[in-house]
């Protein structure tokens, strides 16, 4: 048993006496996933043969924090650990998915309820660094949102683009934007809200009752509007936003800040997937430099 910590946990703390079936689950490009069926119910297990437990520990802390708000449905994390042959695993609640991606107004309402309930007294950040895709995401606690977003979100991605591609143009213009973006946030309430952090269509589903489920987070405490940074590939409807803003009212200047939150994810996609995303990032930077006369 000691050679298989996943089986060991399931047959002890998981309260199962036997594992009846192990089935591969598709969908992820970074980790392998399996469904473990047992006489005590099913478990969802992700493994990574190359990366130690820190990535899954970050995911488990994020899932746990979202679960604790008692708002939106997320898989409850149970156990993270190293694999004896190298790599790591996470065991979590198995959720039987429905056929749709969930009811948009209900998703908007539940997400807003999570943002309202999940607050931090430590400021902006998270207890551990985690990953956005496979890119490190730095979550050092910071009291000021504009400083946190400029340094640990935009600044980190700009530095990666310079190191990876030697892209001095994106870096220099992006740093000008970081230094001059303060006025975009004037008049807006900026509270540290618990964010999923990577909310695109692939991380949104529904359970068999049609209730929205969100998965694979990159959690941190941030300005609630940053949650919409992946909206360009999330498919949020007008009904989603209407329901969201009924619970978390729209802040002054929301429209002019929208693209600053898209920029983080466009830069991350540029760093992860290459030059196809550069023009989108550069266009946003140039537009803001004009708007801010920077």
């Amino acid at each position: 048993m000691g050679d298989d910590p996943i089986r060991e946990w399931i047959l002890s703390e998981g309260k199962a006496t036997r594992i009846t079936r192990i089935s591969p689950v598709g969908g992820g490009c970074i980790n392998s996933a399996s469904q473990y069926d047992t006489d005590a119910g099913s478990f969802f297990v992700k493994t990574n043969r190359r990366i130690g437990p820190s990535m899954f520990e970050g995911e488990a802390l994020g899932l746990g924090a979202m679960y604790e708000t008692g708002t939106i449905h997320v898989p409850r994390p149970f156990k993270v650990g190293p694999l004896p042959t190298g790599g790591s695993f996470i065991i979590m609640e198995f959720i039987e998915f429905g056929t749709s991606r969930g009811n948009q107004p209900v998703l908007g309402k539940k997400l807003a309820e999570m943002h309202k309930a999940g607050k931090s007294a430590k400021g902006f950040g998270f207890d551990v660094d985690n990953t956005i895709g496979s890119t490190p995401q730095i979550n050092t606690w910071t009291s000021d949102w504009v400083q946190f977003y400029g340094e640990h979100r935009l600044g980190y991605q700009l530095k990666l683009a310079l190191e990876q591609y030697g892209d001095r143009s994106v870096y220099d213009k992006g740093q000008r934007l970081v230094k001059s973006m303060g006025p975009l946030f004037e008049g807006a309430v900026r509270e540290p809200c618990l964010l999923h952090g990577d909310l695109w269509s692939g991380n949104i589903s529904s359970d068999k009752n049609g209730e929205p489920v969100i998965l694979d987070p990159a959690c941190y405490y941030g300005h609630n509007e940053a949650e919409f940074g992946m909206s360009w590939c999330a498919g949020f409807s007008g009904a989603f936003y209407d329901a969201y803003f009924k619970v978390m009212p729209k802040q002054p200047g929301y429209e002019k800040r929208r693209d600053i939150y898209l920029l983080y994810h466009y830069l991350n996609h540029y760093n992860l997937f290459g030059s196809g995303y550069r023009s989108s990032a550069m266009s946003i930077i140039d537009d803001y430099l004009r708007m801010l006369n920077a």
Side-chain angles (χ1 to χ4, degrees), residues 34 39 43 58 90 95 123 127 162 170 222 226 255 277-278:
S34 302
D39 58 351
F43 298 91
I90 180 171
I95 296 173
D127 281 331
L162 183 62
V170 162
E255 280 79 12
Y277 293 93
R278 184 186 186 275

Side-chain angles (χ1 to χ4, degrees), residues 66-104:
M66 293 192 298
Y67 182 85
E68 289 299 319
T69 66
T71 52
I72 197 162
H73 195 176
V74 299
R76 186 180 182 184
F78 295 129
K79 178 71 176 175
V80 172
L83 292 167
T85 51
S88 52
F89 69 90
I90 180 171
I91 305 171
M92 64 184 87
E93 173 192 0
F94 177 79
I95 296 173
E96 191 177 332
F97 293 138
T99 53
S100 76
R101 276 194 41 246
N103 178 307
Q104 285 277 306

Side-chain angles (χ1 to χ4, degrees), residues 19-291:
I19 295 167
T20 54
R21 187 173 59 174
I22 303 172
S23 318
V25 178
C29 54
I30 298 168
N31 308 299
S32 301
S34 302
Q35 176 182 339
Y36 279 64
D37 297 322
T38 79
D39 58 351
S42 296
F43 298 91
F44 183 70
V45 178
K46 289 200 294 191
T47 57
N48 189 302
R49 300 286 169 184
R50 298 179 310 282
I51 301 174
S54 61
M55 180 177 72
F56 287 144
E57 282 165 0
E59 179 176 354
L61 283 170
L63 287 171
M66 293 192 298
Y67 182 85
E68 289 299 319
T69 66
T71 52
I72 197 162
H73 195 176
V74 299
R76 186 180 182 184
F78 295 129
K79 178 71 176 175
V80 172
L83 292 167
T85 51
S88 52
F89 69 90
I90 180 171
I91 305 171
M92 64 184 87
E93 173 192 0
F94 177 79
I95 296 173
E96 191 177 332
F97 293 138
T99 53
S100 76
R101 276 194 41 246
N103 178 307
Q104 285 277 306
V106 176
L107 175 63
K109 176 175 178 285
K110 295 275 190 186
L111 189 66
E113 287 170 353
M114 183 181 88
H115 290 167
K116 199 168 190 177
K119 293 291 196 294
S120 167
K122 298 179 185 177
F124 301 99
F126 203 54
D127 281 331
V128 296
D129 294 339
N130 48 25
T131 53
I132 179 83
S134 58
T135 308
Q137 186 167 257
I138 309 304
N139 295 318
T140 306
W141 291 110
T142 308
S143 60
D144 180 78
W145 170 247
V146 179
Q147 181 190 342
F148 176 88
Y149 192 69
E151 184 178 339
H152 299 308
R153 292 296 176 264
L154 298 183
Y156 186 83
Q157 294 286 346
L158 291 166
K159 188 159 85 48
L160 278 186
L162 183 62
E163 289 169 357
Q164 189 162 289
Y165 304 121
D167 197 331
R168 177 60 66 180
S169 179
V170 162
Y171 179 82
D172 287 347
K173 285 186 171 184
Q175 287 293 353
R176 271 167 56 203
L177 173 56
V178 167
K179 288 182 177 69
S180 58
M181 67 184 184
L184 297 172
F185 300 88
E186 283 170 7
V189 175
R190 305 187 295 275
E191 289 184 292
C193 301
L194 179 62
L195 307 182
H196 174 283
D198 191 16
L199 206 57
W200 68 288
S201 57
N203 292 340
I204 302 166
S205 189
S206 65
D207 62 23
K208 61 185 179 184
N209 300 318
E211 283 288 309
V213 179
I214 56 176
L215 320 152
D216 294 338
C219 285
Y220 65 99
Y221 290 90
H223 185 210
N224 66 302
E225 293 170 8
E227 192 76 285
F228 308 135
M230 283 288 282
S231 58
W232 48 282
C233 51
F236 297 140
S237 69
F240 164 87
Y241 288 108
D242 289 346
Y244 180 89
F245 288 126
K246 274 189 185 135
V247 179
M248 290 285 285
K250 191 183 285 193
Q251 294 296 312
Y254 163 76
E255 280 79 12
K256 70 180 180 184
R257 282 186 300 275
R258 199 181 70 92
D259 286 2
I260 204 87
Y261 291 131
L262 304 186
L263 179 58
Y264 173 56
H265 295 278
Y266 276 125
L267 286 169
N268 186 46
H269 276 62
Y270 174 34
N271 285 317
L272 284 174
F273 306 119
S275 60
Y277 293 93
R278 184 186 186 275
S279 62
S280 297
M282 198 58 151
S283 168
I284 290 173
I285 292 169
D286 284 338
D287 285 350
Y288 274 118
L289 291 176
R290 275 194 297 273
M291 182 199 301

